[in-house]
Amino acid sequence: MRSSAIHPILEETRATERADRLQTLEVLADAAANGTEAAIDRLRRDAMTDLRIDAPDGLAREPFHWPLEFPEVFGDDRDGFDAFIGNPPFSGGKLIGRRFGLSYQEYLNYVRHNAVGAADYCVYFMLRSFYLLRSTGGLGMIATKSISETGSRAVGLDQIIACGGTIYRAFSEIPWPGNAAVVVSVVWISKQPWRGTAILDSTTVRLINGALEEDFELKRPVKLKELKGLFSEGQNIMGRGFELTQAERDEIISRDPKCREVIVPLYNGQDLNSSPVLEPSRWVIYFRDWPEDRARKYGPAFDRLAELVRPYRESLTGQIHQDCFWKFWDLRPSILSEFPKRESVLAIASVTKHVCFARVSTDAVYNTQVKLIFLDGWREFCALQSSLHDVWARWLSGKLGTSTLRYFTSAILETWPMPRAGVRDRFEPLGSRYVSTRQQLMRERSAGLTEIYNQFHNPEDRSDDLEMFRKLHKEMDIAVLDAYGWDDIDLGHSFREVDYLPENDRVRFTISNNARIEVLRRLSELNHQRFEEEVENGLHGKKVRVDARARPCVGEKSTQKSFDLEGTSAHAPESEGNPNRATEAIRTFLEARRTWLSKSDILAYVDIPDGQWNAAINELLASGTVERQGERRGARYRISESD
């Protein structure tokens, strides 16, 4: 049965179990309140049992209930704490379940409002603190540097901003002063809109966004369908027995020559970036998705896997991706279907200093440190290798260390609006000449892609061959710009210091900062235009959320925060059908953003019933709280400047 079919069944089962538990708890609680010792003992035993569920140390967890610990904060007219200051623990998001138990990890989904992303552990402390602040409160916290990147950002800072929070001061990267080799970020957040000066890395800026960068009011891009399914991470082999040296390959083939059909080159991200010529130094046994009887026909290769891989696979516990030991752990079905259609695809190292794509053969295996894009046209290559895509990638990527970035295809490529116009005849000779010039430089200088682009960005190296390469890169950028129809932008190519790189390595041959901001602005606008086109064509279903990872928590009033020590509820649960809630949700969201936004942008973040939009927005327009620009599908809204 498909997982999409299993999920609702599991959810229904869990809901039934919860209802049964609550009914039992209600009966026991009434009996305990009446002094029945047996009921009190049963409640204690059940509590201890529940608190021990999958706890790593086997001991019962110690619960912490904010209103019980701080009744003076949540009673009467107060609605939360004035401030939080902290240095919460750091831990990679994918390690939380392993360290603290899956039940605790499931609980954290409530803290994160089910937003998608592998958030660092410290993010949950920041979110919880923000929710527990009173409406005029603020917080200041030290966090891991990754808080401003991809999953951690989407779950944490982006949600906080969507809730109306304002980052009014931040240090984006600070080396930890102690012995630990850690880089941290420090953030100060106000729960209400901040009217004062914002300071980022000791520099006054207008606004600070969730990436801990100056906010130029660029719309966060949304995922598009146009490149969906046209990229994949490389394959996870899981078993060193698959890998062969040259001598091991030759020995197997000497025993059975037909094994040549199932032994192919194996490359990783370092091979792509460091090798002047991509030639195999390692090989891998690759049976694709073949059944066992077919794989057994290649005796020496199959026997090696049976001897070396099978025992290892059988020793694994937890999630089992592939129980057929002769197959890779993650086969990547898109690779199996797309590679046979092409002689080459585009590839980029997952972790890379420079955004540099290569055309690679499909007669090889690439591991998980390589991103594969199933495109082989020169227009697509030029678009992705251009400075336009470089600034896009650096805006959306996660940074590792200093100038190194992690190329996330879901964040960078799936949102990328590929140019549709442009004469292919122009890109073919330009792209071909660019690649051949680059390959010649790599051979003559015995350098891989990383070193070649290091030299490319070195203003002291003005050799003729490198100057020709820079000229070709500039021509490629202009061709891509023309394909978008943006020939009015002066890219201003030159050697420049870019402030988003570390001080000791920030000189790049690139476009001007003004051009960078304008390119990002137009690409972001185009991304949203393409998204709206896809919505109109029914590609995103009926109910669309532009970015489900950044869900709002408008007017966050949980039942826990409104704890009533006298036994009456201070805040009744708000009805989803309450039109006042819709009006307030839209107002709060626009007040936090203070920029022009379309209906689809707003509804993507503001979770209100579809039928309440017209009444709510008309009420806000009539009161002067919100102003509109344009009509019908072209309408944009923002909070009134006088509001």
Side-chain angles (χ1 to χ4, degrees):
M1 185 180 294
R2 294 176 62 88
S3 60
S4 58
I6 294 173
H7 183 71
I9 296 174
L10 290 176
E11 287 299 307
E12 184 176 350
T13 302
R14 289 170 181 167
T16 302
E17 291 173 353
R18 282 195 295 269
D20 292 342
R21 288 290 305 275
L22 287 172
Q23 187 174 7
T24 302
L25 180 62
E26 182 179 356
V27 173
L28 290 172
D30 285 342
N34 291 325
T36 304
E37 288 296 329
I40 296 173
D41 290 342
R42 169 71 183 278
L43 285 174
R44 286 173 176 161
R45 289 197 308 271
D46 288 353
M48 290 299 101
T49 299
D50 289 343
L51 290 169
R52 287 191 184 95
I53 292 176
D54 73 16
D57 56 8
L59 302 177
R61 298 180 175 89
E62 296 184 16
F64 184 93
H65 198 283
W66 286 95
L68 292 178
E69 299 291 340
F70 297 96
E72 70 277 13
V73 174
F74 296 94
D76 300 327
D77 296 329
R78 294 188 61 86
D79 60 351
F81 290 91
D82 292 306
F84 279 94
I85 301 174
N87 176 16
F90 305 166
S91 177
K94 295 182 179 179
L95 300 176
I96 293 174
R98 190 184 310 167
R99 290 178 174 175
F100 304 112
L102 296 178
S103 296
Y104 181 73
Q105 187 176 38
E106 186 173 349
Y107 156 73
L108 291 180
N109 284 330
Y110 293 97
V111 178
R112 64 194 282 156
H113 291 273
N114 293 311
V116 179
D120 191 275
Y121 192 36
C122 68
V123 169
Y124 298 99
F125 285 83
M126 186 170 291
L127 274 177
R128 198 75 182 98
S129 299
F130 181 80
Y131 298 154
L132 292 169
L133 287 172
R134 65 186 311 178
S135 58
T136 57
L139 65 86
M141 286 198 178
I142 299 171
T144 173
K145 180 178 65 66
S146 66
I147 196 171
S148 63
E149 300 169 2
T150 57
S152 289
R153 170 185 173 170
V155 173
L157 294 178
D158 279 353
Q159 278 207 91
I160 287 173
I161 291 172
C163 291
T166 304
I167 305 171
Y168 63 89
R169 188 177 183 186
F171 288 102
S172 58
E173 295 183 12
I174 300 179
W176 186 253
N179 295 327
V182 177
V183 179
V184 301
S185 298
V186 186
V187 294
W188 289 258
I189 297 173
S190 169
K191 193 164 187 178
Q192 63 182 352
W194 182 257
R195 306 299 184 186
T197 299
I199 301 175
L200 175 63
D201 295 329
S202 302
T203 301
T204 300
V205 297
R206 205 177 71 82
L207 290 170
I208 301 173
N209 63 25
L212 299 186
E213 300 171 339
E214 182 172 4
D215 191 351
F216 294 96
E217 295 190 343
L218 302 175
K219 292 181 180 180
R220 295 303 299 179
V222 295
K223 292 183 179 181
L224 304 174
K225 296 294 186 182
E226 60 183 72
L227 294 180
K228 184 74 172 178
L230 291 177
F231 56 84
S232 173
E233 186 177 69
Q235 293 169 301
N236 185 3
I237 296 170
M238 191 63 81
R240 294 300 298 271
F242 283 98
E243 299 183 27
L244 305 171
T245 64
Q246 181 70 48
E248 289 170 330
R249 170 187 180 270
D250 293 343
E251 191 272 333
I252 289 177
I253 291 176
S254 69
R255 291 166 55 195
D256 188 345
K258 71 174 181 290
C259 286
R260 190 186 304 271
E261 300 171 16
V262 296
I263 299 177
V264 299
L266 172 64
Y267 298 114
N268 59 26
Q270 186 176 1
D271 296 327
L272 288 184
N273 281 348
S274 302
S275 303
V277 179
L278 198 60
E279 294 179 340
S281 59
R282 296 179 307 284
W283 302 80
V284 67
I285 299 171
Y286 185 30
F287 284 122
R288 300 166 179 83
D289 59 349
W290 294 356
E292 184 175 357
D293 57 348
R294 183 178 178 184
R296 280 186 176 276
K297 294 178 181 178
Y298 300 82
F302 186 89
D303 292 344
R304 175 185 171 91
L305 302 185
E307 178 186 355
L308 299 178
V309 177
R310 177 190 283 171
Y312 169 66
R313 290 280 184 88
E314 290 177 348
S315 71
L316 298 177
T317 59
Q319 185 180 15
I320 304 299
H321 291 213
Q322 179 58 259
D323 56 5
C324 301
F325 68 85
W326 63 93
K327 299 179 185 179
F328 291 169
W329 191 249
D330 281 323
L331 281 170
R332 303 294 178 189
S334 57
I335 292 177
L336 293 175
S337 63
E338 293 292 337
F339 267 35
K341 302 175 185 177
R342 299 173 168 81
E343 292 184 358
S344 66
V345 294
L346 297 180
I348 184 172
S350 301
V351 177
T352 183
K353 180 178 179 180
H354 305 288
V355 179
C356 42
F357 289 83
R359 300 182 87 183
V360 298
S361 171
T362 54
D363 293 328
V365 166
Y366 303 88
N367 76 2
T368 55
Q369 295 306 306
V370 178
K371 303 293 186 181
L372 299 162
I373 298 95
F374 310 131
L375 299 170
D376 50 14
W378 285 113
R379 180 172 66 179
E380 290 79 12
F381 170 82
C382 289
L384 295 177
Q385 189 58 69
S386 70
S387 297
L388 283 72
H389 188 71
D390 180 273
V391 299
W392 181 263
R394 293 187 184 279
W395 179 39
L396 299 172
S397 73
K399 295 179 182 178
L400 289 177
T402 53
S403 59
T404 305
L405 63 84
R406 184 182 290 278
Y407 191 93
F408 289 105
T409 46
S410 59
I412 300 169
L413 196 63
E414 201 169 347
T415 60
W416 171 252
M418 189 71 76
R420 295 173 178 171
V423 181
R424 285 190 177 273
D425 292 345
R426 180 181 183 184
F427 285 110
E428 184 169 351
L430 182 56
S432 178
R433 192 150 41 101
Y434 183 92
V435 169
S436 62
T437 300
R438 187 174 70 180
Q439 289 175 335
Q440 183 176 351
L441 281 167
M442 293 166 68
R443 286 193 301 268
E444 292 178 352
R445 300 187 178 212
S446 297
L449 285 171
T450 297
E451 181 56 31
I452 285 299
Y453 281 100
N454 284 342
Q455 297 171 17
F456 174 88
H457 292 297
N458 181 4
E460 297 180 3
D461 192 335
R462 300 296 183 122
S463 54
D464 291 343
D465 53 356
L466 210 52
E467 286 288 85
M468 174 57 70
F469 188 42
R470 294 180 184 121
K471 181 174 180 293
L472 286 172
H473 196 95
K474 180 178 177 180
E475 290 178 13
M476 182 173 64
D477 286 350
I478 293 172
V480 173
L481 197 71
D482 290 346
Y484 283 112
W486 300 337
D487 57 0
D488 58 313
I489 299 178
D490 179 9
L491 293 177
H493 288 86
S494 185
F495 289 100
R496 302 179 181 279
E497 287 194 1
V498 291
D499 56 11
Y500 50 81
L501 293 176
E503 292 184 9
N504 63 344
D505 185 24
R506 59 172 42 172
V507 176
R508 296 290 186 269
F509 182 78
T510 187
I511 62 179
S512 70
N513 189 57
N514 288 339
R516 181 178 75 92
I517 298 303
E518 185 60 26
V519 163
L520 288 176
R521 190 186 310 281
R522 295 197 191 186
L523 286 171
S524 177
E525 291 286 347
L526 182 59
N527 165 274
H528 281 260
Q529 291 174 21
R530 297 269 180 92
F531 178 79
E532 291 184 7
E533 291 173 6
E534 292 179 352
V535 170
E536 291 293 325
N537 291 328
L539 298 181
H540 292 271
K542 292 183 178 180
K543 188 169 183 178
V544 178
R545 183 180 296 280
V546 171
D547 187 352
R549 297 174 306 169
R551 300 188 182 202
C553 31
V554 177
E556 186 71 29
K557 293 282 185 182
S558 70
T559 54
Q560 179 166 309
K561 281 188 61 180
S562 58
F563 186 80
D564 184 5
L565 299 175
E566 301 302 320
T568 59
S569 176
H571 298 281
E574 295 185 79
S575 168
E576 289 189 2
N578 184 353
N580 292 330
R581 176 185 175 277
T583 303
E584 179 63 16
I586 295 171
R587 185 198 66 77
T588 303
F589 175 70
L590 289 176
E591 185 176 68
R593 291 307 175 100
R594 294 192 171 270
T595 188
W596 291 106
L597 297 168
S598 68
K599 174 183 174 181
S600 63
D601 293 334
I602 299 168
L603 289 182
Y605 285 87
V606 179
D607 191 12
I608 62 174
D610 296 338
Q612 292 185 11
W613 165 260
N614 287 336
I617 197 65
N618 287 335
E619 179 182 340
L620 291 167
L621 290 169
S623 66
T625 305
V626 170
E627 51 190 354
R628 178 172 60 195
Q629 182 183 73
E631 297 294 333
R632 299 179 67 82
R633 286 180 55 189
R636 298 290 186 271
Y637 305 89
R638 74 174 179 186
I639 201 75
S640 174
E641 289 300 309
S642 60
D643 189 64

